[in-house]
Amino acid sequence: MARLRTEIPGPRSRELAERRKGAVAAGVGSVLPVFVDHAEPGLLVDVDGNRLIDLGSGIAVTGVGNPAPRVARAVHEQVDRFTHTCFMVTPYEGYLDVCERLAELTPGGHDKRSVLLNSGAEAVENAVKIARHATGRPGVVVFDHAYHGRTNLTMALTAREMPYKRGFGPFTPEVHRVPGSHPLHDGLGGEEAARRAVAAVDRPDGIACVVVEPIQGEGGFVVPAPGFLPALADWCRSHGVLLVADEIQTGFCRTGDWFACDHEGVVPDLVTTAKGIAGGLPLAAVTGRAEVLDAVHPGGLGGTYGGNPVACAAALGAIDTMRDLDLNAAARRIEATVLPRLRALTSDAVVEVRGRGAMLAVELTSAEVAARVAATCHAAGVVVLTCGTRGNVIRLLPPLVIPDELLAEGLDVLEGAIE
């Protein structure tokens, strides 16, 4: 259970926050100014001994637990063997193992290839590079409310100006933003929303790829209307456009299936992954059709740390954990617990409760209300996150292994804060 020994933040965290001011760039923000000492399943323990219920998982990263025993063992074993050679210099088996697992788990039974990278933004950037190279076309279609990263190219793909883009331009050209599917606000069925989206594309023959989050993350945990993704996939196929599914936040059991595309049987040409792939170690990937990835010339893809052997070992341990503990079923159980409770809220501040699996959200009337709710939860020792283009959404990303009693306690605090 959560236990607070001091106010939040406590004296030791405040002391470290003062040190931070003199060492860390002011542009690096933190949601909750407590410094973590160690973690337990569903809990973060700070340097003051406060035990905080974790409903954020480091933004959907530590779904398998923190620390996860199989991940920790795999990391220790690999560190004792070697920590780095660079796969582009001398390869190693762990990289192959991860690529083979990705080929098996990602949607579709076609022949696949992967490239391993360091971060979600790097994966999206490489997916666009690959799509442009394979098609010979420059254009990229993205959606309102999208979030795809903080590099120059991925900032161009990301919709939200503040804090992600302001003052950092100019951005990469040939990015075309179109309306997506937001059932609460547009009232459209999936196929109708897809027709509206593609109607905004002037010249399909100039488009290399459509990049879409199967459930939008930073944009507000927006679940598209049924039929939107399949209709989008059909349009891409009919125009020779590659469909890139950004599964960085939705992947690896988070939504109750291995990938969010699986819920409607959508098979993308390319899938980007990161976050939950390696239990907290930095690893990302682009996985897709063999003929698309193999179209790139040797040496055109890669990076010094991409597919680091320690991160690969962590990913193998994480995937084994997901399978052995059936974390897809765990995510569905979390949804069955959380959604009824949140939908029973009577506060006038609640606009909508939505989500899938263990990727759930409450949209509130304003960013100010969301900030007050989050601050109340934080003061009570419950870590929640906000999101949404207007900053008015509370998002829940609990570890998939969170004990039932911790989840219930965290929900008690959240419900009280909202009511």
Side-chain angles (χ1 to χ4, degrees):
M1 62 180 295
R3 184 177 68 246
L4 299 185
R5 292 182 173 178
T6 71
E7 72 280 14
I8 301 293
R12 178 66 177 142
S13 281
R14 294 198 299 271
E15 177 185 326
L16 292 172
E18 288 301 312
R19 282 179 53 194
R20 169 184 170 146
K21 291 177 183 177
V24 179
V28 181
S30 294
V31 171
L32 182 55
V34 298
F35 285 74
V36 173
D37 178 77
H38 65 278
E40 301 172 12
L43 287 170
L44 301 175
V45 184
D46 74 7
V47 291
D48 292 291
N50 297 304
R51 296 162 61 85
L52 312 173
I53 296 175
D54 181 13
L55 300 185
S57 299
I59 315 183
V61 170
T62 55
V64 294
N66 186 18
R70 294 191 71 156
V71 172
R73 285 197 300 271
V75 166
H76 283 295
E77 290 169 6
Q78 181 58 51
V79 165
D80 287 340
R81 294 170 61 207
F82 64 95
T83 58
H84 177 75
T85 68
C86 183
F87 192 79
M88 298 184 301
V89 178
T90 53
Y92 36 88
E93 190 173 2
Y95 192 114
L96 309 184
D97 291 336
V98 172
C99 292
E100 288 170 349
R101 298 288 184 90
L102 288 168
E104 175 191 353
L105 295 172
T106 51
H110 51 280
D111 191 20
K112 300 172 190 172
R113 302 288 185 270
S114 291
V115 56
L116 302 185
L117 305 153
N118 300 294
S119 70
E122 193 178 350
V124 173
E125 187 140 340
N126 273 269
V128 172
K129 283 171 49 179
I130 293 163
R132 284 173 166 170
H133 196 289
T135 63
R137 302 171 177 181
V140 182
V141 171
V142 292
F143 294 91
D144 290 341
H145 310 293
Y147 177 85
H148 297 292
R150 295 174 182 258
T151 60
N152 186 270
L153 172 57
T154 57
M155 278 191 294
L157 307 182
T158 290
R160 189 173 176 181
E161 177 76 9
M162 188 67 182
Y164 304 116
K165 301 171 69 168
R166 185 169 297 174
F168 296 135
F171 302 116
T172 303
E174 295 295 340
V175 173
H176 309 274
R177 193 170 308 284
V178 301
S181 173
H182 200 319
L184 173 66
H185 296 293
D186 62 33
L188 300 178
E191 293 184 5
E192 189 179 3
R195 286 194 297 270
R196 180 185 63 169
V198 300
V201 180
D202 291 331
R203 291 195 53 199
D205 61 350
I207 302 300
C209 60
V210 171
V211 183
V212 62
E213 300 161 274
I215 297 175
Q216 288 190 323
E218 186 65 26
F221 279 32
V222 179
V223 182
F228 176 76
L229 293 174
L232 197 63
D234 289 344
W235 181 87
C236 287
R237 280 192 296 272
S238 66
H239 290 88
V241 175
L242 298 180
L243 179 63
V244 179
D246 181 343
E247 292 262 15
I248 289 162
Q249 190 161 173
T250 52
F252 294 102
C253 308
R254 176 54 58 182
T255 65
D257 215 325
W258 281 101
F259 295 94
C261 282
D262 292 328
H263 291 277
E264 291 190 271
V266 173
V267 179
D269 298 292
L270 299 172
V271 178
T272 62
T273 53
K275 288 192 182 291
I277 190 173
L281 272 74
L283 187 68
V286 181
T287 302
R289 298 188 182 279
E291 65 272 20
V292 174
L293 274 92
D294 285 349
V296 179
H297 52 275
L301 302 175
T304 301
Y305 291 107
N308 170 270
V310 180
C312 285
L316 296 171
I319 292 170
D320 285 345
T321 300
M322 295 172 205
R323 281 179 158 157
D324 292 349
L325 300 182
D326 193 359
L327 293 189
N328 284 316
R332 294 192 294 269
R333 287 195 299 272
I334 289 171
E335 177 184 341
T337 297
V338 175
L339 284 187
R341 289 191 56 170
L342 295 184
R343 285 174 174 160
L345 290 168
T346 60
S347 171
D348 291 338
V350 175
V351 177
E352 185 181 46
V353 173
R354 58 178 177 258
R356 183 179 291 154
M359 184 174 179
L360 305 167
V362 184
E363 181 166 338
L364 301 169
T365 49
S366 70
E368 292 74 20
V369 171
R372 291 203 302 272
V373 168
T376 301
C377 291
H378 297 164
V382 177
V383 179
V384 297
L385 309 173
T386 60
C387 66
T389 302
R390 296 195 295 121
N392 64 322
V393 178
I394 298 288
R395 56 174 160 172
L396 304 180
L397 293 161
L400 305 179
V401 296
I402 189 169
D404 292 344
E405 62 273 15
L406 282 183
L407 180 61
E409 186 178 347
L411 289 174
D412 289 342
V413 171
L414 175 61
E415 289 169 348
I418 292 173
E419 294 286 17

